[in-house]
Amino acid sequence: MSTVKSTQMDLLRFATAGSVDDGKSTLIGRLLLDSKSIFADQLEAVESTSKSKGYDYTDLALLTDGLRSEREQGITIDVAYRYFATPNRKFIIADTPGHVQYTRNMVTGASTADLGLVLVDARQGLTEQSRRHAVILSLLRVPHLVLAVNKMDLVDYSQEVYDKIHNEFTQFATKLNIPDLEVIPISALAGDNVVNRSENMSWYSGPTLMHHLENVHVASDRDLIDARFPVQYVVRPKSDEFHDYRGYAGMVAGGVLKPGDEVVVLPSGMTSKISKIDLFDKEVTEAFPPMSVTVHLEDDVDVSRGDMIARVKNAPQPSQDIDAMICWMTTTPLKPRQKLAIKHTTRTARALVKDIQYRLDVNTLHRDQETKELGVNEIGRVQLRTTVPLLCDPYSQNRTTGSFILIDEATGVTVGAGMINQAN
């Protein structure tokens, strides 16, 4: 069982965000290069391309800016996922765009992140975009935030510049919900404090970026108290070998499930006990987020996709009235009385927009209560009424059961992402 636990705990998902030319792509390239996660032929190709462009350095951004339009414009447009590993941990990087018109892409990429990495250019200091990225990461309840002060080599590794940005950002962060903040001075191009400690900044005594990423504690970030298991699929092989096999497959969204636990199936309210838990082809003694498992119950109760298995004395309250923050993702604005499909965990329903309470200015945190609609990339507080009760928790308590997506029924396109404040 311990091997299962270590593989689950040793994965860190982090999202990068920064303004255009802050060096995000170069930083990811540096992490991949210095952690020896790229092939020799990839490096040779990047070196030769850099020479052909007349650069006197290796342009590490070429390792990550995959779209030709990104390379031509020097900006990141889509969310790109990169994978690499060190002996201590596996990593998934969501390289999210920094530009305001791609806010929706950033929300998508950061929604599952354990850590947010915001880059600022040491020469520019904090910009409107830096603040916006921090606000979005705070709204998405990303529990750990790193502010990487990049291009320190271009300000002569000045402690004064670093201290100014550090103090300004720390003061701004007090208005936000950021439980863990680390500010690290780096040079992605030169490699200072990225993987290896810099000799140019002896005044800095904190960790390197890689050391922090390898050691930041994320195991306790997930809700391990409230047991939540949305059923994705009912497993009934009906083969000779598994004639009586009946299990409920899904991903644990919260709490720890163990055989013998007394549970309730919602919305029916039927109770039973967990008889066993399967992980692939073996039984396990416990399951916790984000494990995907098959749960078996002692009694033959009616369970189907969209139901939720929870503890008898600690179950979510079914609710049809949802108060949520929504990031709107399409050019047709969101308006009151609009009808949409809503997908919450494994349950799909229809929803009516009852009211738009305010639009949030993510640069100033000002709440515009006069607004009557939400445009593309805008975030606001909205009241919804759903056709069937949702088994949800506040997003601050559980990022899985506290989130949903809105879908245009006519086109099937995802048009909004929501974070539940409370359900009545």
Side-chain angles (χ1 to χ4, degrees):
M1 182 57 212
S2 59
T3 55
V4 173
K5 190 168 283 192
S6 65
T7 52
Q8 294 292 335
M9 292 303 181
D10 282 346
L11 174 67
L12 179 79
R13 294 172 176 268
F14 69 95
T16 61
S19 305
V20 175
D21 290 336
D22 277 350
K24 216 158 26 79
S25 299
T26 304
L27 174 61
I28 295 171
R30 171 63 64 188
L31 282 170
L32 295 174
L33 176 66
D34 286 6
S35 63
K36 301 182 171 51
S37 300
I38 56 170
F39 296 112
D41 58 340
Q42 282 179 293
L43 186 57
E44 283 171 21
V46 167
E47 285 173 344
S48 65
T49 306
S50 301
K51 276 181 188 166
S52 68
K53 288 187 172 185
Y55 298 160
D56 56 358
Y57 60 89
T58 303
D59 186 3
L60 297 174
L62 295 171
L63 286 168
T64 54
D65 278 343
L67 300 176
R68 182 177 294 171
S69 55
E70 292 180 338
R71 291 199 296 266
E72 287 169 356
Q73 298 176 57
I75 63 170
T76 300
I77 296 171
D78 205 354
V79 179
Y81 292 93
R82 309 286 166 198
Y83 306 85
F84 74 101
T86 68
N88 299 331
R89 200 171 234 170
K90 296 176 187 170
F91 299 93
I92 299 176
I93 312 173
D95 182 13
T96 69
H99 202 274
V100 63
Q101 74 193 77
Y102 303 115
T103 299
R104 57 189 176 180
N105 305 54
M106 184 188 167
V107 168
T108 306
S111 60
T112 55
D114 303 304
L115 179 144
L117 175 61
V118 177
L119 258 78
V120 296
D121 185 329
R123 298 168 302 172
Q124 311 290 340
L126 281 189
T127 62
E128 194 176 273
Q129 279 180 295
S130 315
R131 291 185 176 87
R132 189 176 68 253
H133 297 145
V135 169
I136 292 170
L137 290 167
S138 165
L139 274 174
L140 290 167
R141 301 277 174 170
V142 177
H144 306 276
L145 181 64
V146 174
L147 182 73
V149 184
N150 192 23
K151 305 194 180 182
M152 288 297 293
D153 52 318
L154 300 181
V155 292
D156 297 326
Y157 301 103
S158 163
Q159 182 178 2
E160 193 180 328
V161 171
Y162 166 79
D163 286 344
K164 182 174 180 289
I165 295 171
H166 181 287
N167 295 337
E168 196 180 336
F169 190 81
T170 308
Q171 196 173 346
F172 175 70
T174 56
K175 301 178 193 170
L176 308 175
N177 184 7
I178 299 174
D180 174 38
L181 172 63
E182 189 77 45
V183 185
I184 304 175
I186 64 166
S187 167
L189 192 64
D192 294 280
N193 283 344
V194 178
V195 173
N196 304 311
R197 179 163 287 286
S198 169
E199 294 177 4
N200 298 308
M201 290 179 274
S202 54
W203 45 263
Y204 172 72
S205 57
T208 63
L209 178 59
M210 181 61 92
H211 183 271
H212 183 68
L213 293 175
E214 283 187 324
N215 292 283
V216 66
H217 184 67
V218 296
S220 58
D221 292 335
R222 296 180 184 273
D223 180 6
L224 297 174
I225 297 167
D226 308 300
R228 303 285 186 265
F229 185 73
V231 176
Q232 190 167 352
Y233 185 71
V234 179
V235 184
R236 294 284 312 274
K238 294 183 180 174
S239 63
D240 291 340
E241 189 182 354
F242 300 102
H243 187 69
D244 296 319
Y245 190 100
R246 183 186 179 91
Y248 310 107
M251 190 173 84
V252 184
V256 180
L257 300 174
K258 296 179 182 178
D261 284 353
E262 195 173 338
V263 292
V264 60
V265 178
L266 298 170
S268 68
M270 300 290 287
T271 57
S272 184
K273 283 187 177 179
I274 296 175
S275 57
K276 66 172 182 170
I277 301 171
D278 289 340
L279 176 72
F280 305 118
D281 56 349
K282 60 176 181 282
E283 283 188 43
V284 292
T285 55
E286 60 179 17
F288 46 84
M291 289 171 69
S292 293
V293 295
T294 302
V295 171
H296 298 258
L297 301 180
E298 287 182 1
D299 305 287
D300 196 8
V301 295
D302 182 22
V303 183
S304 55
R305 176 182 168 84
D307 289 357
M308 185 177 288
I309 295 172
R311 290 256 163 70
V312 175
K313 293 180 180 175
N314 180 10
Q317 291 300 314
S319 176
Q320 288 179 262
D321 290 297
I322 308 296
D323 173 356
M325 297 298 292
I326 286 177
C327 174
W328 192 243
M329 298 180 166
T330 188
T331 48
T332 308
L334 175 71
K335 296 180 179 177
R337 312 304 300 168
Q338 201 163 330
K339 291 176 183 171
L340 298 153
I342 184 169
K343 187 172 186 304
H344 171 261
T345 63
T346 56
R347 170 168 284 223
T348 304
R350 299 181 76 208
L352 172 74
V353 180
K354 284 169 61 181
D355 184 35
I356 299 174
Q357 291 188 302
Y358 60 79
R359 178 176 57 221
L360 183 72
D361 184 327
V362 290
N363 300 317
T364 63
L365 300 181
H366 172 70
R367 298 175 179 184
D368 176 12
Q369 296 179 338
E370 303 299 312
T371 188
K372 296 289 184 284
E373 61 183 40
L374 286 183
V376 64
N377 289 315
E378 290 185 337
I379 294 173
R381 188 165 185 169
V382 175
Q383 305 284 327
L384 301 173
R385 171 84 178 178
T386 59
T387 51
V388 299
L390 300 185
L391 303 160
C392 53
D393 297 292
Y395 188 78
S396 57
Q397 183 179 321
N398 188 312
R399 289 169 73 192
T400 304
T401 57
S403 61
F404 59 84
I405 58 170
L406 296 171
I407 300 162
D408 183 322
E409 291 185 290
T411 61
V413 172
T414 299
V415 290
M419 295 149 279
I420 297 167
N421 296 318
Q422 61 189 52
N424 304 317

